[in-house]
Amino acid sequence: AQTVTQSQPEMSVQEAETVTLSCTYDTSESNYYLFWYKQPPSRQMILVIRQEAYKQQNATENRFSVNFQKAAKSFSLKISDSQLGDTAMYFCAFMKDSGGGADGLTFGKGTHLIIQP
Amino acid sequence: EAQVTQNPRYLITVTGKKLTVTCSQNMNHEYMSWYRQDPGLGLRQIYYSMNVEVTDKGDVPEGYKVSRKEKRNFPLILESPSPNQTSLYFCASSLSPPGNEQFFGPGTRLTVL
């Protein structure tokens, strides 16, 4: 079974600063996918970024980028130029490739990110 | 608009009273799944379905049932709800896994007294 660990229950930074959220995972799978989901106060789950484990290049989406270290089983999320609207819970999630990925997503417990004005 | 809808959004009920939470998607997705979210635990998968008439247990299936008679619908059934099923429930759908983005519904807040 896979496990996903987010070691920072809560973080707080000033607007416009850069912040990095940590995520580590444990798996015996060699092929898998990693995701970061954002959950604002509305509770809606929104995909932030996605990474295929077989790709060396780190995924980026505008102000969001990841640092994927496969050997270390680490998948951190960096948010640049943070904005008030980035305030949310952030969940790291894992999906294995074997078995067609039918098991769905395995989530970490989340990091509550607060952007201060 | 492409979306996953859930009903009801909020529900307060009593122990033992059967209830159904509906989930519907309009994206022709093969894969659908139910998760529950509890404070400090993240989201955990309850059941999933790879296609019509194909369902399987996730990590926390006890006390729940599902059915997939139509591609667009995936209802979650609690035949005899108990207080430990008080939670926030999410339905999600995607194209056939692995790796595809799962689109989530808005969530259903369930309280069992």
Side-chain angles (χ1 to χ4, degrees):
Chain A
Q2 289 66 230
T3 59
V4 177
T5 302
Q6 294 179 248
S7 59
Q8 305 147 313
E10 185 168 289
M11 298 183 71
S12 179
V13 299
Q14 296 295 123
E15 193 176 7
E17 289 183 347
T18 294
V19 59
T20 298
L21 309 183
S22 301
C23 173
T24 58
Y25 56 94
D26 188 23
T27 185
S28 57
E29 304 283 334
S30 55
N31 295 318
Y32 47 87
Y33 301 83
L34 295 162
F35 305 81
W36 278 98
Y37 276 87
K38 170 184 178 180
Q39 186 179 45
S42 67
R43 301 184 325 203
Q44 183 68 47
M45 294 290 288
I46 303 165
L47 179 66
V48 175
I49 203 162
R50 171 180 174 274
Q51 174 82 42
E52 295 95 333
Y54 60 85
K55 287 189 176 179
Q56 298 279 359
Q57 187 172 5
N58 290 324
T60 63
E61 287 287 342
N62 301 313
R63 297 183 295 108
F64 299 87
S65 61
V66 297
N67 183 2
F68 173 47
Q69 302 289 329
K70 190 172 184 179
K73 297 181 180 175
S74 172
F75 183 60
S76 61
L77 175 69
K78 185 172 84 171
I79 306 174
S80 304
D81 186 26
S82 58
Q83 301 173 359
L84 296 178
D86 295 333
T87 292
M89 282 290 289
Y90 287 82
F91 292 98
C92 179
F94 173 101
M95 179 187 290
K96 67 181 183 180
D97 195 346
S98 62
D103 295 4
L105 293 161
T106 299
F107 286 88
K109 295 181 179 181
T111 296
H112 185 207
L113 176 64
I114 301 168
I115 308 300
Q116 304 277 8
Chain B
E1 180 191 357
Q3 60 182 348
V4 179
T5 57
Q6 295 178 226
N7 282 291
R9 296 287 310 280
Y10 301 89
L11 179 60
I12 301 174
T13 189
V14 295
T15 299
K17 186 176 181 182
K18 181 178 179 179
L19 67 92
T20 299
V21 183
T22 64
C23 173
S24 183
Q25 50 92 7
N26 62 1
M27 295 170 278
N28 201 34
H29 285 165
E30 295 86 7
Y31 184 87
M32 298 186 75
S33 181
W34 278 101
Y35 296 88
R36 61 178 288 174
Q37 181 180 5
D38 301 291
L41 295 179
L43 284 81
R44 294 174 294 167
Q45 191 180 46
I46 302 170
Y47 267 95
Y48 63 89
S49 171
M50 294 291 283
N51 215 321
V52 176
E53 302 292 359
V54 181
T55 64
D56 210 343
K57 297 177 180 179
D59 294 324
V60 288
E62 293 77 20
Y64 305 95
K65 287 176 59 177
V66 293
S67 68
R68 187 94 181 271
K69 292 182 170 51
E70 302 167 286
K71 194 172 187 179
R72 64 183 294 129
N73 297 323
F74 190 45
L76 180 69
I77 303 156
L78 285 72
E79 298 226 324
S80 184
S82 62
N84 65 12
Q85 293 178 297
T86 293
S87 188
L88 178 60
Y89 291 87
F90 287 98
C91 180
S93 74
S94 73
L95 295 170
S96 292
N100 289 303
E101 176 185 357
Q102 289 197 15
F103 293 85
F104 284 79
T108 295
R109 171 73 68 186
L110 173 65
T111 301
V112 183
L113 302 176

